[in-house]
Amino acid sequence: MERKHMSAFALYKTLSTDLPPPATKPSLQVADKKKRKKENGANKVNTVKAQLKPERKKVRKKLLKSAKKEESLKGMTEDEECVNGDGEAVDALLADLGKVNSSRERASKLFQWLINPIPAKSFFRETWEKKPILVQRKTPDYYKGLFSTAEFDRILRQEDVQYGVNLDVTSYTNGKRETHNPPGRALPFTVWDFYESGCSLRMLNPQGFSSTVWNVLSILQEQFGSMAGANVYLTPPGTQGFAPHYDDIEAFVVQLEGKKHWRVYNPRTEDEVLPVLSSANFDQADIGKPILEVVLEAGDLLYFPRGFIHQGDCLPDAHSLHITISSHQKNSWGDLLQKLVPAALEIAMEEDVEFRQGLPLDYLTYMGVQNSDKDDPRRTKFFSRIESLMKKLITYAPVDAAVDQKARDFLHDCLPPMLTPEELASSVQGASTRWERGQVLDVGAQITTQTRVRILRAGCARLCSDGEAVHLYYTTDNSRVYHKEEPKSFEIKAEHTDAMEFLIHSYPKFVTVGSFPCDSADDRIALAELLFERGIIHTAGPL
């Protein structure tokens, strides 16, 4: 069969091993480009193309010749290769996990597969947030099917990928990190030219385009109890796309294709252990010697906590494709206390006169930075009073309410669940109601007190109170694009709160609608219909 299109990277892969290694890429100077940017948004592409055009012409000739030979052997279109070329390893795993009754157990099993053979319990006890760890498997196909360059190319051709939103083009040459994003949509013609010119490609939200990545992350978020995100990085041979830096997330680097040379460094100071924010780019002289230096090959895994400086570069003989799975951003005790302490102080000032009593009339004369070196007994008394009030503040801390605030944020961050075929058939998303032959069919399927239901996922819904009303927050209507939608919630009637708690705590068991602790059968059915229509519950079998 004749190929409709072959990307620059697909051509690169056909290069036989006896061809000489690619020439050293010239540094991407941008001084002249900036002047031309106002006239032509694509100047970065054109400049790099001009630098490499003569050399690339020769290479392309060889590549096309080799590609035609490979094409006749494979007899497969590139579209077919994108769909079928990834193998079935991850798909089979996800299909098996779909048969696991509990989403929490599903998440636990998937995480164990991710870090295998390290036991999850020992990982969280000994490694999580503490130190990097390396898994070398010598099994190139271990993660096969999670993501691929073929999938990367399909997404560029078929999806609306925008520079700076979904895709970054980067380089790190001679100690200088640059981003080369033109405006607008990232199309294969331009993107693969950037790649051929020595630029790295970072896809920022692959879960928005890849159903497999979406499925994996939507499961793992229940394991982490916080948002699971991902970036995909494609790097040409002999190049580096990013400067040394540290991140504010726990990072699982999953090597999918090729290989990459990694160096990991300890946090430079105690202040940079488990940092709140990611760092700026470092110079090589700032970071010392690596504590871990390794070449990741397909099927390998590298984990490092937030705050550990890292950099990765490609060896001259191979490209690299990896996906970084991340979690635990802004999910510390301090982040919880940022919600808890202001609320506690507000309550304390309402309920305790000691917090409303006035400050000493002369406190400005002995407190503050300008007075900090004074040996004044009034300062000792002032600090003693502050300490007393701080200790008392804990008695007013609405801990559960603050946790619910964190939970609301988490549910807003969450990906929606990707339904198994069985879940689809028994939920509102798979309802058979349709227009056919000039009429509406299968409308108004009835939920009765005998209908058996359960919530769709252990963590897909949560009751939260703002002090005046109780709302149910849920994830099933979330977007695959981060915070594209507002948080999803609706008010739960007072007479339905017990039934909602009952449903949540009954998971993963199916319970009959008639067993809901409501005042009447009508109330039970009304609540079940509401939850079914919102996609929060599904039935034991199709309605």
Side-chain angles (χ1 to χ4, degrees):
M1 296 172 68
E2 185 178 349
R3 288 182 186 262
K4 297 177 183 176
H5 166 76
M6 180 171 268
S7 70
F9 185 68
L11 290 174
Y12 167 80
K13 286 199 293 183
T14 65
L15 189 61
S16 59
T17 54
D18 58 346
L19 285 176
T24 303
K25 309 295 182 187
S27 63
L28 302 176
Q29 302 298 325
V30 297
D32 292 333
K33 295 181 209 172
K34 287 180 180 176
K35 295 178 184 176
R36 291 196 296 272
K37 188 172 181 180
K38 294 178 182 177
E39 300 171 5
N40 183 355
N43 68 81
K44 294 181 179 180
V45 187
N46 297 332
T47 302
V48 176
K49 281 163 65 177
Q51 291 173 341
L52 298 181
K53 193 173 182 180
E55 182 63 29
R56 204 169 60 216
K57 241 180 177 178
K58 293 177 188 175
V59 176
R60 272 185 175 163
K61 242 181 178 180
K62 293 176 183 176
L63 291 174
L64 285 168
K65 188 176 179 183
S66 181
K68 284 177 183 176
K69 186 178 177 183
E70 181 199 41
E71 209 171 348
S72 64
L73 291 172
K74 284 190 176 180
M76 181 187 291
T77 69
E78 188 170 75
D79 283 343
E80 290 169 334
E81 186 178 320
C82 288
V83 174
N84 303 319
D86 284 337
E88 300 178 352
V90 173
D91 286 343
L93 170 73
L94 293 172
D96 287 343
L97 288 176
K99 299 169 187 172
V100 175
N101 191 40
S102 165
S103 62
R104 289 195 184 100
E105 185 182 349
R106 200 177 302 164
S108 177
K109 287 178 179 291
L110 181 60
F111 182 75
Q112 183 59 73
W113 166 82
L114 180 71
I115 65 168
N116 198 54
I118 301 168
K121 284 184 179 179
S122 66
F123 172 82
F124 284 113
R125 183 178 62 249
E126 300 165 8
T127 305
W128 177 252
E129 293 191 320
K130 296 181 182 72
K131 62 184 181 182
I133 200 164
L134 170 68
V135 178
Q136 290 179 305
R137 294 194 175 90
K138 304 299 182 186
T139 309
D141 291 344
Y142 188 81
Y143 295 117
K144 195 169 186 179
L146 179 54
F147 199 84
S148 67
T149 48
E151 178 75 352
F152 202 119
D153 188 70
R154 179 200 67 77
I155 290 168
L156 291 176
R157 286 185 284 116
Q158 297 179 5
E159 306 284 356
D160 182 18
V161 178
Q162 294 288 319
Y163 286 110
V165 178
N166 314 114
L167 187 78
D168 281 332
V169 179
T170 70
S171 66
Y172 179 68
T173 310
N174 298 326
K176 186 177 183 182
R177 158 77 164 83
E178 296 181 86
T179 300
H180 307 277
N181 291 340
R185 183 177 171 185
L187 292 166
F189 182 84
T190 305
V191 172
W192 292 125
D193 271 331
F194 270 128
Y195 175 86
E196 276 196 83
S197 304
C199 292
S200 287
L201 307 176
R202 173 173 63 180
M203 185 168 286
L204 297 168
N205 56 334
Q207 61 270 28
F209 305 110
S210 164
S211 58
T212 302
V213 176
W214 165 32
N215 197 358
V216 167
L217 297 182
S218 70
I219 295 171
L220 286 177
Q221 65 195 7
E222 284 202 50
Q223 172 72 17
F224 295 126
S226 66
M227 185 188 79
N231 289 335
V232 167
Y233 299 84
L234 178 59
T235 309
T239 69
Q240 182 168 340
F242 295 87
H245 66 283
Y246 61 71
D247 294 313
D248 60 348
I249 47 91
E250 302 299 299
F252 296 84
V253 178
V254 176
Q255 191 69 26
L256 301 172
E257 295 176 9
K259 52 188 175 182
K260 199 165 200 177
H261 170 230
W262 282 91
R263 286 166 285 176
V264 182
Y265 309 76
N266 272 326
R268 300 178 305 169
T269 66
E270 279 295 314
D271 292 343
E272 292 180 356
V273 174
L274 303 179
V276 176
L277 300 172
S278 296
S279 72
N281 295 326
F282 294 121
D283 292 329
Q284 299 292 341
D286 297 335
I287 56 180
K289 293 182 179 180
I291 59 166
L292 177 64
E293 185 167 7
V294 65
V295 174
L296 282 193
E297 299 187 3
D300 293 347
L301 172 76
L302 174 63
Y303 160 81
F304 45 82
R306 53 198 191 276
F308 278 76
I309 300 166
H310 54 277
Q311 59 178 324
D313 60 278
C314 261
L315 302 177
D317 61 337
H319 77 285
S320 170
L321 179 76
H322 78 265
I323 184 169
T324 297
I325 296 173
S326 61
S327 191
H328 243 54
Q329 186 180 50
K330 299 188 185 307
N331 203 43
S332 67
W333 285 102
D335 291 302
L336 176 61
L337 288 171
Q338 283 182 337
K339 296 183 180 297
L340 177 61
V341 173
L345 189 56
E346 185 177 340
I347 294 169
M349 291 187 71
E350 286 179 4
E351 298 184 4
D352 191 331
V353 68
E354 195 173 350
F355 285 86
R356 301 196 299 270
Q357 288 173 348
L359 291 162
L361 298 180
D362 60 346
Y363 82 102
L364 293 178
T365 65
Y366 56 86
M367 295 305 300
V369 174
Q370 70 181 29
N371 301 309
S372 58
D373 292 332
K374 282 185 176 181
D375 184 12
D376 190 321
R378 293 176 298 174
R379 288 180 58 82
T380 304
K381 187 177 179 182
F382 194 93
F383 278 115
S384 178
R385 184 67 182 275
I386 291 290
E387 184 180 355
S388 171
L389 290 173
M390 291 294 287
K391 287 179 179 178
K392 203 173 185 183
L393 188 63
I394 188 63
T395 62
Y396 299 100
V399 177
D400 285 326
V403 168
D404 281 344
Q405 283 189 47
K406 282 288 293 174
R408 289 202 293 269
D409 291 344
F410 171 43
L411 266 64
H412 188 204
D413 293 343
C414 275
L415 286 162
M418 183 174 175
L419 306 188
T420 66
E422 293 76 17
E423 289 169 341
L424 186 63
S426 59
S427 67
V428 69
Q429 288 92 334
S432 60
T433 305
R434 65 199 182 280
W435 177 272
E436 190 175 297
R437 296 191 298 274
Q439 59 182 330
V440 176
L441 300 179
D442 294 345
V443 70
Q446 294 295 311
I447 290 178
T448 71
T449 55
Q450 299 305 309
T451 306
R452 296 170 63 236
V453 298
R454 72 172 183 181
I455 58 172
L456 203 57
R457 293 284 189 279
C460 76
R462 186 180 183 94
L463 284 172
C464 297
S465 172
D466 60 7
E468 297 180 1
V470 176
H471 287 78
L472 185 71
Y473 287 79
Y474 60 103
T475 67
T476 52
D477 281 343
N478 282 4
S479 170
R480 288 162 65 177
V481 177
Y482 179 69
H483 285 191
K484 184 178 180 181
E485 306 284 345
E486 291 297 313
K488 303 297 181 184
S489 71
F490 57 90
E491 187 175 344
I492 290 286
K493 295 178 181 178
E495 58 268 29
H496 288 164
T497 54
D498 287 346
M500 199 62 237
E501 285 185 7
F502 169 72
L503 255 180
I504 290 170
H505 295 147
S506 295
Y507 184 86
K509 294 179 182 177
F510 284 92
V511 295
T512 63
V513 173
S515 67
F516 289 6
C518 295
D519 293 336
S520 67
D522 287 345
D523 278 347
R524 297 181 186 103
I525 291 172
L527 176 60
E529 288 177 341
L530 172 63
L531 297 174
F532 184 81
E533 288 169 6
R534 299 291 179 108
I536 296 168
I537 63 172
H538 69 118
T539 54
L543 286 176

